[in-house]
Amino acid sequence: MSELLQAVLNSDEKNDLRSLMSELRLCEKRYLLRNDILNLYEDFCTKHQKNAHTQSSHLSKLIYYTQEIIQEDSNLCFIIRSKIASQEVYLLTSDLSIEAMTVQDLLDMRDRLVNRYYPNEGDLLEIDFGPFYDYSPIIRDPKNIGKGVEFLNRYLSSKLFADPKQWQESLFNFLRLHQYRGIQLLINGRIQSQQHLSEKIKAAIAFISNLPLYEPLETFRLDLQTMGFEPGWGNTAARVLETLNILDDLIDSPAPQTLETFISRIPMIFNIVLVSPHGWFGQEGVLGRPDTGGQVVYVLDQAKNLETQLEEDALLAGLGELNVQPKVIILSRLISNNDGTLCNQRLEKVYGTTNAWILRVPFREFNPNMTQNWISRFEIWPYLETYAIDAERELIGEFQGRPDLIVGNYSDGNLVAFLLARRMKVTQCNIAHALEKSKYLFSNLYWQDLEEKYHFSMQFTADLLAMNAANFVISSTYQEIVGTPDSIGQYESYKCFTMPELYHVVNGIELFSPKFNVVPPGVNESYYFPYTRNEERVETDRLRLEEMLFTLDDPALIYGKLEDPSKRPIFSMARLDRIKNLTGLAECFGKSQELQEHCNLILVAGKLRVEESGDNEERDEIIKLYQIIDEYNLYGKIRWLGVRLSKTDSGEIYRVIADHKGIFVQPALFEAFGLTILEAMITGMPTFATQFGGPLEIIQDKVNGFYINPTNLEETASKLYDFVTKCDSNPAYWDEISKRGIERVYTAYTWKIHTTKLLSLARTYGFWNFISKEKREDLLRYIEALFHLIYKPRAQQLLEQHKYR
């Protein structure tokens, strides 16, 4: 029995628990989430004059760790999460008898809650990935979740130490694998065994030690070749000597850091695919379109910086004379009706790169009304399997062979990445960015009601398949995986859930697997840099955007005139959808007369008119924003810019707001990471961001930014007002927070940090897959079976619907 429950039952709070349960039974809701539970308990404590603080009593502590309560008849099901990445489930009856519930019991209860439980019709399909992780190393301590590569390096080092002969033989065989376009790298046939390698390493170290440190490789390349060493060890005597010494140390006394350093130097990745298929992927005219924006920015910046890092790595490895040309391809969708963009071009070079490209592959013809136009990310599922087949052929043609790494983006991209990696036998990396299951409350429980609009049955199935198939998974934050002590992570939400009448997931993902790694994205420093760097700013851009933000009268682009443009600006920039919650920020501003007296609200938010939008959710938010402006009489106090900004303008617009000592507010109901937060902080804007999601790890509250609860409008307004008045009385305070925000980004969130880590991960997991001989075929066969039995039939049904649109 849970220690938390037992502590209550063994104390004089037993009757309090009984009274609380009586009040819970009177609640109209049959399914209470954590916020509902805490609010109800606070009312209970007020009514009975008790202290609701977490540590004030055993009952308060129990309530604090209870994530959900489900009512069924007179019984209550408590789902308790007393520690990260684990939960306990108990059924409490009116006489306080307690029964532990299995995962299957819980899922059946959830099905009964929505009247979707039919025991006489046989058991529902149970999806359980647990057995496939029984033979893999598993992290024990929850605080190490997301540090998969560190754990894996420790594990591999211990194996090298415990069985040196076998593992050193595997290491030797691994080094013999590597080539670039048929040219052998690292070691050649003159080294024929692990023992021979060890001897040759020592001889090479002795030889190179007598050379000048900066002697270029070409002057002694033939000498190394005679000893059995091909290019790949370094570009100078110093670099080659350092790499060989690291390998020598690794063979003699393996250590995790030594292993990571050595593997990260191996030239084994030259060609990378970044998969982002759903469309409107381009470098101009796509930002602000439905389903794009942040994703396009992220993937383009990642592609550019990966190419730069690959080129740097190749030169450092001494491959300069081999004319190595790393290539990065962004795989997206070709859209014939391109709406003035370049999305109808098959191949487009990424600006500012040598060999990074956007490759667009069309969906196969079916109904031209669908396949030649943009399709929402909720609707594209029927086309992805054939798209992957066609894309494989195109990629092999562009690379003149297979890529070395495939990186999926979002649910659709990750499914395509799995299909491609499976067919091409390539290392697969998943980056989810945001999982829709966490965004839409009870989306799995009521999936049938939402299916026509969102098709979650396919999306959630795709997520399960891709994340389990991936060799490694990148998240932007720790809590994206397993949440916080009082909130469940996005990946954790896939651990156990029901899709009533479709399937039960009893173990959807192993959270303690070393495949998870936290690698946050960076900021494009070419566009986003501190407002104080006046020498890098373009004066004409600054003046143009200053006018646009504060005074320009252009009804086609801007709604609202400011009565007093000199007031401190509160600024936000996002697409208009429910989750981004710009309407919530407008309402928060509308409810606060104090804020209105001191500040103006300026929003950059896509479209101004309903008829301009093709997205249902965006249209709803446009209507809502006008209603809020009218309800709170915000005329003269708000500016709404319906514009698409280039990255150049986007960076400068933050800086112009910073010139006016403004503040940036990110009011999302949930934010997986928050790239706009980094952009605002690096430009020098004091930033207030949602406490729900990734911003908790970006911002250190009250040090270099501030958390807000966007569902509590009065509290949010109070925090903003407190900051504004403090800056009014002490202008240096604004400067202090501004400076700390800039420092925070430069020390933790650059693309250089991101790409170095990503490539190190790819090499380590490639090494792990080779030497472990991990039995993944049974897992992949299971995933394929689920794909064909669950995903594919549903995709075919949707395809039939598309036929008549």
Side-chain angles (χ1 to χ4, degrees):
M1 185 189 304
S2 167
E3 294 178 4
L4 293 169
L5 268 172
Q6 190 65 58
V8 175
L9 296 176
N10 291 342
S11 70
D12 55 6
E13 296 177 85
K14 186 173 181 178
N15 287 332
D16 291 337
L17 175 60
R18 197 188 307 274
S19 299
L20 176 62
M21 290 175 64
S22 296
E23 298 201 13
L24 283 167
R25 293 189 186 96
L26 296 175
C27 181
E28 290 183 6
K29 292 184 177 180
R30 294 175 61 202
Y31 203 136
L32 285 80
L33 298 178
R34 187 169 186 274
N35 204 47
D36 303 320
I37 297 165
L38 292 176
N39 289 337
L40 191 146
Y41 182 63
E42 191 170 331
D43 292 342
F44 172 83
C45 289
T46 301
K47 178 179 177 181
H48 296 279
Q49 298 182 331
K50 295 181 180 294
N51 188 345
H53 188 270
T54 309
Q55 301 299 328
S56 64
S57 68
H58 295 303
L59 182 56
S60 295
K61 196 170 182 180
L62 170 65
I63 294 301
Y64 178 81
Y65 287 112
T66 299
Q67 290 290 320
E68 303 169 30
I69 295 177
I70 303 173
Q71 295 188 55
E72 186 174 61
D73 301 327
S74 61
N75 301 324
L76 295 175
C77 170
F78 277 65
I79 300 165
I80 302 167
R81 187 173 180 268
S82 58
K83 57 185 178 181
I84 280 177
S86 66
Q87 69 176 27
E88 303 170 29
V89 188
Y90 296 96
L91 191 69
L92 275 72
T93 63
S94 55
D95 62 356
L96 295 188
S97 64
I98 300 173
E99 178 183 337
M101 295 178 65
T102 65
V103 170
Q104 287 85 350
D105 293 336
L106 173 62
L107 299 180
D108 286 344
M109 176 179 280
R110 286 173 173 160
D111 287 354
R112 289 195 295 271
L113 184 74
V114 292
N115 299 316
R116 302 286 187 181
Y117 179 69
Y118 310 106
N120 295 327
E121 295 184 11
D123 292 335
L124 203 60
L125 171 66
E126 287 188 353
I127 296 177
D128 184 359
F129 285 96
F132 299 105
Y133 291 94
D134 287 346
Y135 305 102
S136 299
I138 294 295
I139 293 169
R140 301 298 174 192
D141 191 335
K143 73 174 183 291
N144 291 325
I145 291 173
K147 301 176 182 177
V149 76
E150 296 174 24
F151 172 84
L152 201 54
N153 282 325
R154 288 195 300 272
Y155 179 83
L156 291 172
S157 298
S158 68
K159 289 290 186 182
L160 281 165
F161 189 79
D163 190 354
K165 186 175 180 181
Q166 177 189 340
W167 286 79
Q168 288 170 17
E169 186 67 27
S170 297
L171 179 60
F172 166 69
N173 289 329
F174 182 70
L175 293 176
R176 292 199 298 179
L177 284 179
H178 303 294
Q179 297 182 343
Y180 176 72
R181 294 186 176 177
I183 301 171
Q184 183 64 36
L185 302 177
L186 296 176
I187 59 177
N188 58 39
R190 291 184 174 91
I191 300 176
Q192 298 180 348
S193 68
Q194 184 279 319
Q195 182 61 39
H196 198 200
L197 172 64
S198 186
E199 295 168 2
K200 289 292 186 180
I201 289 171
K202 296 185 187 305
I205 289 172
F207 165 72
I208 298 170
S209 297
N210 294 317
L211 298 176
L213 288 177
Y214 297 105
E215 186 80 12
L217 173 66
E218 282 310 300
T219 64
F220 59 93
R221 177 181 170 183
L222 292 178
D223 296 299
L224 283 181
Q225 196 172 50
T226 302
M227 301 170 80
F229 296 98
E230 296 291 342
W233 299 97
N235 60 335
T236 64
R239 180 78 177 183
V240 173
L241 183 62
E242 188 178 48
T243 306
L244 288 172
N245 272 318
I246 292 169
L247 179 56
D248 193 40
D249 290 343
L250 182 63
I251 291 171
D252 289 343
S253 53
Q257 189 57 53
T258 309
L259 179 62
E260 181 176 2
T261 303
F262 178 70
I263 296 299
S264 67
R265 293 187 177 208
I266 294 179
M268 54 189 283
I269 297 176
F270 303 101
N271 297 318
I272 298 177
V273 181
L274 307 178
V275 188
S276 178
H278 70 249
W280 287 141
F281 197 104
Q283 301 178 81
E284 295 175 358
V286 297
L287 298 184
R289 297 296 180 97
D291 303 342
T292 59
Q295 178 180 357
V296 174
V297 171
Y298 179 103
V299 178
L300 277 173
D301 284 347
Q302 188 183 55
K304 292 176 183 178
N305 286 277
L306 278 171
E307 185 204 43
T308 299
Q309 192 61 51
L310 287 171
E311 289 173 343
E312 182 181 314
D313 290 350
L315 288 174
L316 279 174
L319 306 183
E321 296 297 319
L322 301 184
N323 193 30
V324 170
Q325 295 179 329
K327 190 169 190 175
V328 178
I329 289 179
I330 299 169
L331 176 64
S332 192
R333 187 190 154 217
L334 188 144
I335 304 174
S336 299
N337 297 332
N338 60 320
D339 196 17
T341 71
L342 296 180
C343 294
N344 64 337
Q345 289 191 6
R346 176 184 176 274
L347 203 59
E348 180 187 357
K349 193 172 184 180
V350 176
Y351 301 154
T353 68
T354 304
N355 206 14
W357 304 83
I358 302 170
L359 172 65
R360 298 186 183 92
V361 177
F363 287 163
R364 285 191 192 172
E365 285 297 341
F366 184 69
N367 173 359
N369 290 331
M370 298 297 295
T371 55
Q372 293 184 12
N373 291 289
W374 170 80
I375 302 174
S376 162
R377 71 184 189 275
F378 297 117
E379 296 277 342
I380 65 170
W381 306 106
Y383 307 96
L384 296 183
E385 183 180 17
T386 51
Y387 175 82
I389 294 169
D390 296 341
E392 178 188 13
R393 182 176 59 252
E394 298 284 343
L395 288 169
I396 289 174
E398 289 298 320
F399 286 125
Q400 296 298 299
R402 297 183 307 166
D404 303 305
L405 173 66
I406 298 176
V407 181
N409 291 274
Y410 287 87
S411 300
D412 53 335
N414 285 324
L415 182 68
V416 173
F418 155 62
L419 295 170
L420 284 170
R422 177 64 168 147
R423 293 171 63 88
M424 302 171 83
K425 302 190 185 314
V426 174
T427 301
Q428 175 197 349
C429 167
N430 272 26
I431 306 179
H433 301 285
L435 294 162
E436 303 289 347
K437 187 170 174 293
S438 304
K439 289 184 180 181
Y440 295 86
L441 196 61
F442 295 129
S443 51
N444 60 286
L445 199 58
Y446 293 98
W447 71 272
Q448 285 143 306
D449 300 328
L450 301 168
E451 189 72 355
E452 184 176 352
K453 183 176 182 180
Y454 293 112
H455 306 290
F456 284 142
S457 67
M458 282 168 278
Q459 179 154 4
F460 298 167
T461 303
D463 287 335
L464 279 173
L465 303 185
M467 68 177 64
N468 280 286
N471 297 105
F472 66 103
V473 177
I474 282 180
S475 70
S476 298
T477 61
Y478 172 82
Q479 63 180 296
E480 190 178 319
I481 308 170
V482 287
T484 65
D486 53 12
S487 66
I488 291 174
Q490 290 186 66
Y491 283 97
E492 187 179 2
S493 72
Y494 283 79
K495 179 76 173 174
C496 157
F497 67 95
T498 175
M499 302 282 279
E501 298 185 302
L502 184 60
Y503 56 67
H504 281 172
V505 177
V506 297
N507 192 343
I509 186 69
E510 177 51 74
L511 299 170
F512 290 84
S513 167
K515 72 167 57 181
F516 285 105
N517 293 273
V518 176
V519 186
V523 181
N524 189 325
E525 296 169 53
S526 299
Y527 300 103
Y528 304 98
F529 53 84
Y531 77 104
T532 52
R533 291 189 192 167
N534 289 314
E535 70 281 0
E536 298 178 44
R537 298 175 66 177
V538 178
E539 183 66 9
T540 53
D541 287 346
R542 186 188 70 77
L543 293 173
R544 174 174 53 83
L545 292 169
E546 174 109 16
E547 182 186 20
M548 182 188 292
L549 283 166
F550 297 102
T551 58
L552 181 66
D553 185 7
D554 186 347
L557 299 177
I558 300 164
Y559 180 82
K561 298 179 181 179
L562 299 179
E563 292 173 355
D564 183 0
S566 67
K567 287 182 180 179
R568 191 186 301 271
I570 295 173
F571 178 69
S572 193
M573 180 161 55
R575 65 180 182 269
L576 269 173
D577 66 20
R578 185 183 67 83
I579 294 296
K580 294 299 182 184
N581 193 39
L582 289 186
T583 52
L585 176 59
E587 187 171 4
C588 170
F589 183 72
K591 285 177 175 287
S592 173
Q593 289 300 317
E594 293 90 349
L595 278 180
Q596 292 173 44
E597 289 170 10
H598 287 76
C599 304
N600 291 315
L601 178 62
I602 301 175
L603 305 175
V604 175
K607 305 287 195 308
L608 292 179
R609 297 168 188 83
V610 170
E611 59 271 18
E612 295 173 350
S613 174
D615 183 78
N616 290 331
E617 198 164 277
E618 185 177 45
R619 287 197 289 263
D620 292 343
E621 291 296 296
I622 290 171
I623 294 168
K624 186 176 179 182
L625 188 49
Y626 281 119
Q627 290 172 341
I628 289 168
I629 292 170
D630 188 56
E631 179 181 352
Y632 294 100
N633 192 26
L634 295 180
Y635 304 104
K637 302 169 185 177
I638 188 171
R639 292 267 282 179
W640 171 6
L641 281 64
V643 295
R644 296 178 195 155
L645 296 175
S646 66
K647 284 205 280 191
T648 300
D649 282 355
S650 176
E652 186 60 25
I653 214 164
Y654 286 120
R655 289 187 286 273
V656 170
I657 296 290
D659 290 335
H660 288 256
K661 303 300 180 183
I663 57 180
F664 179 76
V665 182
Q666 204 273 28
L669 299 174
F670 176 82
E671 183 61 64
F673 182 65
L675 199 55
T676 55
I677 296 169
L678 295 183
E679 293 168 356
M681 289 173 71
I682 199 172
T683 53
M685 288 184 66
T687 298
F688 291 72
T690 179
Q691 67 186 37
F692 302 122
L696 283 178
E697 292 179 41
I698 298 174
I699 289 174
Q700 296 159 317
D701 193 31
K702 301 175 185 175
V703 175
N704 45 43
F706 304 88
Y707 302 146
I708 58 170
N709 179 349
T711 65
N712 189 329
L713 302 183
E714 291 76 14
E715 180 187 89
T716 297
S718 176
K719 286 187 176 184
L720 293 172
Y721 180 67
D722 287 348
F723 179 77
V724 168
T725 53
K726 194 168 182 179
C727 292
D728 287 345
S729 61
N730 177 20
Y733 184 58
W734 187 97
D735 294 325
E736 183 182 337
I737 297 298
S738 171
K739 182 180 177 182
R740 289 179 187 168
I742 293 168
E743 291 172 348
R744 173 66 173 162
V745 177
Y746 277 124
T747 55
Y749 297 101
T750 68
W751 278 110
K752 174 69 173 175
I753 296 170
H754 174 95
T755 52
T756 301
K757 186 69 173 177
L758 173 57
L759 292 174
S760 177
L761 290 172
R763 293 178 180 115
T764 300
Y765 285 94
F767 177 58
W768 161 250
N769 289 337
F770 176 80
I771 66 170
S772 69
K773 303 294 189 291
E774 188 181 14
K775 296 179 180 178
R776 283 173 46 86
E777 189 60 26
D778 50 357
L779 167 64
L780 294 171
R781 287 292 185 185
Y782 183 64
I783 290 170
E784 284 180 337
L786 295 175
F787 176 82
H788 287 282
L789 293 173
I790 299 175
Y791 178 93
K792 201 167 178 178
R794 302 198 67 80
Q796 190 61 41
Q797 289 174 15
L798 182 56
L799 191 65
E800 288 299 316
Q801 294 175 26
H802 284 189
K803 184 176 180 180
Y804 301 104
R805 292 190 185 180

